[in-house]
Amino acid sequence: MQEKLPFSCDYMKGAHPSILKRINDTNMLATDGYGTDPICEEAKEKIKAACGCPDAQVEFLMGGTQTNAVMISAFLRPYEGVISADTGHVNIHEAGAIEATGHKVLARPHKDGKLYAGDIRQFMTDFYNDLNHEHAVFPGMVYISHPTEFGTLYSKEELTELKAVCDDFDIPLYLDGARLAYALACPENDVTLKDLAKLCDAFYIGGTKCGAFLGEAVVLTNPEKIPHLFTMIKQRGGSLAKGRVLGIQFDELFSNDLYYSIGETAIRTAMRIRRALEENGYRYYLETPSNQIFIVLDNKRLAKLGEKVSYEFWEKYDDESTIFRLATSWSTTDEEVDALIEVLKEIANN
Amino acid sequence: MQEKLPFSCDYMKGAHPSILKRINDTNMLATDGYGTDPICEEAKEKIKAACGCPDAQVEFLMGGTQTNAVMISAFLRPYEGVISADTGHVNIHEAGAIEATGHKVLARPHKDGKLYAGDIRQFMTDFYNDLNHEHAVFPGMVYISHPTEFGTLYSKEELTELKAVCDDFDIPLYLDGARLAYALACPENDVTLKDLAKLCDAFYIGGTKCGAFLGEAVVLTNPEKIPHLFTMIKQRGGSLAKGRVLGIQFDELFSNDLYYSIGETAIRTAMRIRRALEENGYRYYLETPSNQIFIVLDNKRLAKLGEKVSYEFWEKYDDESTIFRLATSWSTTDEEVDALIEVLKEIANN
Amino acid sequence: MQEKLPFSCDYMKGAHPSILKRINDTNMLATDGYGTDPICEEAKEKIKAACGCPDAQVEFLMGGTQTNAVMISAFLRPYEGVISADTGHVNIHEAGAIEATGHKVLARPHKDGKLYAGDIRQFMTDFYNDLNHEHAVFPGMVYISHPTEFGTLYSKEELTELKAVCDDFDIPLYLDGARLAYALACPENDVTLKDLAKLCDAFYIGGTKCGAFLGEAVVLTNPEKIPHLFTMIKQRGGSLAKGRVLGIQFDELFSNDLYYSIGETAIRTAMRIRRALEENGYRYYLETPSNQIFIVLDNKRLAKLGEKVSYEFWEKYDDESTIFRLATSWSTTDEEVDALIEVLKEIANN
Amino acid sequence: MQEKLPFSCDYMKGAHPSILKRINDTNMLATDGYGTDPICEEAKEKIKAACGCPDAQVEFLMGGTQTNAVMISAFLRPYEGVISADTGHVNIHEAGAIEATGHKVLARPHKDGKLYAGDIRQFMTDFYNDLNHEHAVFPGMVYISHPTEFGTLYSKEELTELKAVCDDFDIPLYLDGARLAYALACPENDVTLKDLAKLCDAFYIGGTKCGAFLGEAVVLTNPEKIPHLFTMIKQRGGSLAKGRVLGIQFDELFSNDLYYSIGETAIRTAMRIRRALEENGYRYYLETPSNQIFIVLDNKRLAKLGEKVSYEFWEKYDDESTIFRLATSWSTTDEEVDALIEVLKEIANN
């Protein structure tokens, strides 16, 4: 289909072969619907075990925007909003999904796509010190993603500090793990699933961008914090009649440590691309450790690149140049990378 | 998994083998995301052709509740609500998804699950005759389903009359076709896809319950009526990153007339079950032509049935008996039906 | 202005003279805004004393629809709806204000405008017995009004029973007292403000229809049940910059027992009208004890009545006749009643 | 009540004596409700005449937050948000009222509280140039206020330029005139009501802060742009049963040019205060022409000021000093200003 080299995003191909096999193998089994089948049950147990959190509630949803809208509106009271980096997915790329549930996104300036505990603490303190704060939206939770929109990573220490601020102000910390497998596969990463289960009130383990056809697994570490989460998922259109389609995929992702290994190819191939970029004098927009690479390039060269490579337009840098993204995935092949490096060289030397 | 005979619903198994094959065949192709790939494009063209409506806009969503919430909130202005049968899916089984978008469901008494033009006309006339109607929710569109929640069917004449009322009051007619393939396969049905495209302002062609893993195809006959529908789908969490997963399935459903034939097995096997029910003195809750059968049975016999058969509890009939549903599907086998008939006989004769 | 005899509603004239005097007397005082002034404080203390509920939170809002939308959306979680009589104000006359906050009104059949404990208990029990109830809107609170839309009254026993059902299912009971002063002035009424404070989780004491220019006083008996109620009022546009305008009026209504006596004129004059109606063979739509009278009259006679009397169209009764309402108020004069009775006689005898 | 000198805001006292007189004079008249009475009709005619816009629709609401929420949600489609200065009232001081209607506030950096045409044009152009803009909230209208939150004024030329951008992108321009009377009374102001009616798709004429007890008059210049505005007002709790309370006040404000003269006292007294501030070496946070003055003062001096003067805390300036606001109004007396100036001198010289 796509004749160009496929580097625009990490959801260009189908599912990991193991997942596809399970879907084939289970196709004619009959099960109950809406996630009440035994495969979903088993997948949930595996995820709870992987998170070291036997008392958690795990629910499968279909996509990230949906998951964020459900979880954020489930945590918040009507007078509350969610703190997010101004570059956060919920603030920019979800077509107002959070606001459509009635809640403000309280956008804070990011640093490399990240929020920092000190800034949040200051913001919260200022909010409560403002004598008129009862006329304003209360900051009711913190939303972060790991990796971030820019592919950067939180350290365990940074997450621990963020959680400490949240605890001090008694608000939940929620983490969007749309690309979590790629974080877990990064050598720079020191955050495990068990850490997330300890440090977050809820987070989701991304499937769609990490080798599944679709699906995200929400982990709510203390189910009492959101009674009747299933009904809220249903209300927001996030419940699948053939719920097992999600369960099968996550069951496979959490068998044989697939979720830990599935990101490795992406990270290894991204490293190869980075070396080639550096050797050929390309300029990063910012340095990132995971499967996304952000580059600033003059528009003429970018047009040339675009003839052979499928890339993602990020934003205008200035009148002459553009920020664009290259992304690898579990399915990136060395042949694709070889060909990309050829193109990168050619363009650099013209 | 399911050890019992699988008759509780029409989404108990995976996907039709042809669909599964296409998913396998296309797995390692690389395409763009969010439904902008060529397979989605082709599937949309096939659906427009099948509907005889080349100017329509076709969009793929993941599930029915989601599709209804998106389309109803997209058609309505804030002061409007949607007319539905009181038994309508949007009124009862969607956890308040419509109200969560800010709109009232204006429930009207059903007859066999259906709305009738005369009743709607009276309701609309009374509304505008009420001197205080500006203090009330305006009836802004009509929601029906075909087949209905009870598996009953509209005739082409009934739909034509409903559309005439809608036109007289300048409100859209929207049809939920979650189980449309089963209507199309009914000998009693005289409504075609082309009729729907002429008589409805929008409708959806159900995939999830009609042989796909998941997915519904919305047909908006005049795209000018809802600008930026894509963004509204995205906002409500209905847009899939790997959008092609939906496109592939609908492309297959609309190849080789699969969508027309896929319901035939369900209708044929439902007929076999109906004969057995009648021969053994069972009592219908109401008579239905399609793949759902509603039966009233005393609780003791139902408990026995439940030991061997997976059925759907519908509602309490009285203190001694219950309304339950048996459903067939594209995947129902004659062996399953044989076994079910044995059970039905056994229970009837005890 | 109004040349006709003013009986269409109880909000046709300005404010009770005592209230007007206080507004004049306080006009040039300078106070802080948004209800933080000392007059509001004093009014709140008086209301808490009248309710025998020193720990309650009292807030002033501007109108009934607003108050209902704020309180109902504040009590409910996203997956919940509010039980109301199908004739309830929130279900019919508020233009979808509740649904606009995202919540379904769960309309139940009324009897004389009232809900009964037995019916609610059955509804709640059926809901939880339905195996699919997690796919439906949870009944999350009960809304009633006293007097009801039809001017009927709950007895203390009926309220006690309703509260018992609510307690059994752990949902709040909320009472709309838009016309509460008229209930309190009815000889048939055995419910006091102190009873309401014991039996309701929240209720509002109506000002607009009971002698104030505008304003409703919400009493939340246990403030911990709705943290940050002020911010929710502000968010829904219910907070007045010159909040004292509301405080002054309620301070006066709760001085010298004015709120208890203000309804007496309305009840006495309504009784005079009822006697005249009965003596002249008019037919009630239903019998009511308070300040609203609902009459069925043939359209020809009603047209004649309408030449001299301002009445409220209620609804079509049949093709020949109409249900209309006459309402008295704190400001109804005996001269107005005399003239009305003359008209009633004249029309009856033609 | 308020023992301190009343300069914290412009809504500290009751209503202008002429308004109070009209409320007294009309108190016992009987009229229909919900703004359908003849006084409201007359007031609307006067406002349309003052705006030179006979075809406009005028509606009275109770407060500013309410008016903004109604008008913004009425103009926007679900996929759209409203552009506002980051300091705009809708972005900061309304407790998330806009988001509660489902729409994002698209906050843009302000200059002296104002938005500029060039910035908006760039923002709109960038939005449509972004290849992924269909995944984002569409900028669907522009919200400004005059005077702004900081008391600054738009020139007629600036408004004309803003309107040109709006026209180019086919989105409405909406103006919040909560303090419009104070703008109209400023010598610096060159914008008339007739200009606003030509340059804005809708705007509101503030009553609450400009001499009324409460009330804002919305002017929708082309009523076809928002069908059934009344029902939307009702739904958002903005419709007053005794609607005439608003009509009477606006009828008076638009009799004898009161709305034009009512701000003069405020502007004259603000000028006196400014002279005193300058003579005593106080430092403005920013220079403003209308009735609000923003001052930076060290916390020790501010504490002293606060002993005698009621001022408004604005925000922390740095660890040692604070931004605070002094506001005059139609009701500010020269005696109050004399006393304030004494205090300002005293504090400056200590």
Side-chain angles (χ1 to χ4, degrees), chain D residues 24-100:
Chain D
N24 279 284
D25 290 349
T26 54
N27 194 51
M28 294 312 284
L29 291 177
T31 62
D32 284 339
Y34 293 103
T36 61
D37 63 278
I39 310 181
C40 281
E41 281 314 305
E42 207 175 307
K44 290 176 182 184
E45 288 309 315
K46 285 180 185 165
I47 288 173
K48 287 192 254 182
C51 296
C53 195
D55 298 331
Q57 179 174 357
V58 175
E59 298 288 345
F60 300 121
L61 291 98
M62 298 177 249
T65 296
Q66 191 182 87
T67 306
N68 290 333
V70 166
M71 294 308 291
I72 289 172
S73 66
F75 268 122
L76 296 180
R77 294 279 302 145
Y79 55 89
E80 294 178 324
V82 57
I83 296 173
S84 161
D86 50 5
T87 51
H89 205 261
V90 296
N91 194 41
I92 295 190
H93 295 300
E94 300 189 352
I98 304 307
E99 291 83 2

Side-chain angles (χ1 to χ4, degrees), chain C residues 246-285:
Chain C
L246 304 173
I248 289 165
Q249 296 183 84
F250 274 97
D251 194 61
E252 193 60 31
L253 282 169
F254 281 83
S255 297
N256 307 311
D257 287 341
L258 179 57
Y259 200 74
Y260 302 98
S261 63
I262 201 170
E264 284 168 10
T265 304
I267 299 306
R268 188 179 52 76
T269 50
M271 289 300 164
R272 285 193 57 201
I273 297 170
R274 279 196 190 88
R275 269 196 304 275
L277 288 165
E278 287 159 20
E279 285 168 11
N280 290 282
Y282 284 86
R283 172 179 164 206
Y284 294 129
Y285 174 61

